[in-house]
């Protein structure tokens, strides 16, 4: 495979992801400075799954019928425009509304980019590409806070937000250079997206799910990993500072260790992409990610907390690479946008419910007991995922040479 276009795509993803981290940190500080309320900051995070719930029912119908490249460029520019406008606002209400619109654009952009990636990257190279994509994303996880801190020194959080808007414009330019992978099909492209069409699309996804139970089961179970991680991560800062009594700088270093873990895991995946089977990647990641959370949950010293963080992010990189490749190889690109959007509704609902429940019970019972209980429940999910992906009768789903549904 010629790597020019995939590397350009990785560059576009990297620039956008790096800017997103800078934007997130800057926006948190702006809202905290305006209100002095951690609750006001937490609303920013709640707006993410709420935007998903508002868009995913219908967005897949658009994604599967429109040109993916043009759609990605459009939503990069839309996000750039609204993010830049944030730097001019002094009203919390307007900030929330604008962030909500940005999240809607992001919730459509993500499945669109996934479909485009699947079309661009041949099957035999997807595992390595996904590992490199994890590496790029995790590099943003490390570099983003550092760049944000530097920008705060020489300027302000508002400057950081303006530069993120510029980064999204640069991402759009990079995507513009990439090839157009779709032949215009007039009968499909001109089909008006209506309530009836959305209903028919939902029926099609339901039929695919019923006839491909294993694929759907793996997708739903893997969504559980995202749900547990989001819920537990909502207690992470409080656990580190209140239970472990870590300073803010020590917690920042802990986050950097987590970034090193996912970078190490991603590079390992990229180097051994041809030797590691997809079910091994998913199974290992699903089991050892919660193990990392448990190590962190029972830690009383910084060294054990750092081992827990490194373990969970190292394992997570395996799970992400394996699952994304499994998904791309087994779900047809013609319905991929709708499939991920519809099932994303369930994930978003569970994230809201679990995160709210964890927050309430942490207030009533205590942070550490809830964190431990949540980590053990997460570990049980990991065992269930291993039972599913190592079912010998389903081995064909994880073999490159037999995966042909995505053509």
């Amino acid at each position: 495979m010629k790597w020019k276009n995939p590397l350009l795509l990785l560059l576009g993803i990297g620039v956008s992801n790096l800017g997103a981290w800078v934007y997130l940190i800057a926006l948190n500080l702006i809202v905290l400075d305006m209100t002095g309320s951690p609750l006001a900051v937490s609303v920013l995070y709640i707006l993410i799954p709420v935007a998903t719930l508002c868009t995913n029912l219908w967005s897949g119908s658009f994604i599967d019928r429109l040109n993916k490249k043009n759609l990605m460029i459009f939503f990069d520019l839309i996000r750039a425009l609204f993010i830049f406008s944030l730097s001019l606002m002094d009203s919390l209400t307007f900030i929330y509304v604008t962030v909500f619109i940005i999240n809607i654009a992001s919730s459509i952009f993500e499945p669109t980019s996934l479909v485009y990636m699947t079309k661009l990257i041949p099957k035999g190279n997807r595992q390595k590409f996904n590992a490199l994509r994890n590496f790029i994303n995790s590099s943003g996880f490390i570099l983003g806070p550092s760049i944000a801190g530097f920008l705060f020194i020489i300027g302000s959080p508002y400057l950081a937000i303006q530069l993120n808007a510029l980064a999204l414009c640069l991402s759009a330019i990079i995507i513009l250079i990439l090839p157009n992978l779709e032949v215009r099909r007039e009968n499909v492209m001109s089909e008006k997206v209506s309530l009836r069409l959305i209903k028919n699309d939902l029926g099609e996804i339901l039929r695919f799910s019923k006839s491909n139970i294993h694929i759907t089961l793996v997708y739903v179970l893997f969504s559980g990993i995202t749900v547990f991680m989001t819920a537990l991560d909502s207690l992470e800062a409080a656990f580190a500072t209140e239970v472990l009594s870590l300073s803010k700088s020590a917690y920042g270093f802990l986050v950097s260790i987590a970034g090193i873990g996912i970078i190490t895991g991603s590079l390992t995946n990229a180097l051994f992409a041809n030797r590691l089977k997809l079910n091994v990647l998913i199974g290992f990641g699903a089991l050892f990610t919660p193990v990392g959370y448990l190590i962190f949950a029972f830690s009383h010293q910084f060294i054990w907390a750092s081992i827990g963080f490194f373990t969970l992010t190292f394992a997570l990189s395996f799970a992400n690479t394996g699952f994304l490749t499994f998904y791309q190889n087994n779900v047809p690109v013609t319905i991929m946008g709708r499939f991920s959007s519809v099932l994303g509704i369930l994930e978003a609902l569970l994230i809201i419910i679990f995160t709210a429940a964890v927050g309430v019970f942490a207030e009533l019972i205590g942070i550490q007991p809830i964190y431990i209980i949540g980590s053990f429940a997460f570990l049980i999910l990991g065992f269930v995922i291993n039972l599913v992906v190592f079912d010998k009768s389903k081995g064909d789903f994880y073999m490159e040479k037999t995966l042909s549904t995505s053509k």
Side-chain angles (χ1 to χ4, degrees):
M1 179 185 78
K2 293 181 180 180
W3 278 89
K4 176 189 171 183
N5 289 328
L7 289 175
L8 275 174
L9 181 56
L10 284 172
L11 178 61
I13 291 170
V15 169
S16 177
N17 182 259
L18 186 61
W21 275 104
V22 175
Y23 151 77
L24 182 64
I25 295 167
L27 188 60
N28 285 354
L29 290 178
I30 288 171
V31 172
L32 190 60
D33 184 57
M34 286 177 63
T35 64
S37 167
L39 179 61
V41 176
S42 67
V43 172
L44 295 172
Y45 292 86
I46 294 172
L47 287 174
I48 296 173
V50 171
T52 301
L53 288 175
C54 291
T55 58
N56 278 28
L57 189 64
W58 52 265
S59 61
S61 297
F62 281 95
I63 292 168
D64 287 335
R65 288 176 171 82
L66 297 177
N67 186 290
K68 313 305 178 285
K69 175 186 170 181
N70 294 341
L71 210 54
M72 289 163 65
I73 293 170
F74 174 76
F75 281 111
D76 258 349
L77 294 176
I78 285 292
R79 289 188 294 174
L81 176 64
F82 279 96
I83 285 173
F84 183 82
S85 70
L86 282 173
S87 65
L88 308 175
M89 294 180 183
D90 55 7
S91 166
L92 186 62
T93 301
F94 283 136
I95 287 176
Y96 282 153
V97 171
T98 304
V99 168
F100 180 67
I101 294 170
I102 293 166
N103 288 337
I104 285 178
S106 296
S107 69
I108 299 174
F109 180 90
E110 288 303 321
T112 305
S113 63
L114 179 57
V115 177
Y116 184 85
M117 273 183 253
T118 305
K119 287 175 171 284
L120 181 69
I121 311 299
K123 269 198 256 180
N125 297 103
R126 285 175 187 161
Q127 193 170 328
K128 178 174 284 189
F129 179 87
N130 290 331
L132 290 172
R133 183 186 175 215
N134 272 339
F135 171 72
I136 293 291
N137 288 341
S138 54
S139 296
F141 180 77
I142 291 287
L143 294 175
S146 302
I147 293 173
F150 175 73
L151 291 173
F152 297 161
I153 292 171
I154 66 171
S156 69
Y158 294 98
L159 172 63
I161 281 180
Q162 289 168 352
L163 288 178
N164 179 41
L166 182 63
L168 284 167
C169 289
L170 180 58
S171 174
I173 292 171
I174 294 170
I175 294 170
L176 184 64
I177 301 171
L178 291 169
N180 181 9
L181 302 176
E182 297 172 67
V183 178
R184 186 177 178 90
R185 295 170 295 171
E186 295 294 341
N187 61 322
V188 174
M189 303 296 278
S190 62
E191 197 173 4
K192 185 179 179 181
V193 177
S194 60
L195 286 175
R196 176 179 291 181
L197 185 63
I198 292 171
K199 183 180 177 181
N200 291 338
D201 284 346
L202 290 174
E204 184 177 353
I205 297 304
L206 184 60
R207 287 191 295 274
F208 176 83
S209 299
K210 285 182 177 179
S211 59
N212 295 273
I213 293 175
H214 184 76
I215 297 171
T216 307
L217 180 61
V218 172
Y219 191 100
V220 171
L221 289 174
F222 197 86
S223 294
I225 292 179
T226 304
V227 171
F228 271 107
M229 288 188 65
T230 305
L232 291 172
D233 287 351
S234 69
L235 298 179
E236 179 187 287
F239 188 97
T241 54
E242 295 180 23
V243 178
L244 299 180
S245 301
L246 297 180
S247 65
K248 289 184 179 179
S249 59
Y251 174 61
F253 184 58
L254 199 62
V255 173
S256 297
I257 291 173
I260 293 170
I262 202 164
I263 286 175
T264 306
S266 299
L267 286 176
T268 303
N269 273 281
L271 289 171
F272 298 100
N274 296 328
R275 301 181 185 179
L276 298 172
K277 293 183 178 180
L278 299 183
N279 54 350
V280 173
L281 293 176
I282 297 170
F284 173 82
L287 201 58
F288 282 90
T289 299
V291 166
Y293 275 100
L294 278 169
I295 294 172
F296 180 66
F298 283 104
S299 62
H300 295 285
Q301 298 175 326
F302 178 83
I303 183 65
W304 284 106
S306 60
I307 290 172
F309 262 44
F310 182 88
T311 301
L312 75 90
T313 53
F314 179 80
L316 182 63
S317 68
F318 284 79
N320 283 339
T321 300
F323 170 73
L324 188 55
T325 309
F326 167 87
Y327 176 73
Q328 290 173 320
N329 287 347
N330 288 287
V331 177
V333 289
T334 52
I335 66 164
M336 192 173 279
R338 284 165 286 173
F339 186 83
S340 60
S341 294
V342 170
L343 292 185
I345 296 172
L346 174 63
E347 181 180 305
L349 279 171
L350 291 175
I351 285 174
I352 294 171
I353 294 169
F354 272 65
T355 304
V358 160
V360 170
F361 283 113
E363 288 283 340
L364 297 175
I365 301 173
I367 295 173
Q368 189 169 27
I370 293 303
Y371 204 94
I372 291 172
I373 292 169
S375 298
F376 270 117
F378 191 179
L379 183 62
I380 292 171
L381 174 66
F383 279 114
V384 172
I385 290 175
N386 271 264
L387 288 174
V388 171
V389 299
F390 284 105
D391 182 348
K392 290 183 179 180
S393 67
K394 308 297 181 183
D396 286 351
F397 287 96
Y398 306 92
M399 300 294 291
E400 288 285 349
K401 63 182 180 181
T402 59
L403 299 175
S404 59
T405 54
S406 60
K407 286 185 178 178

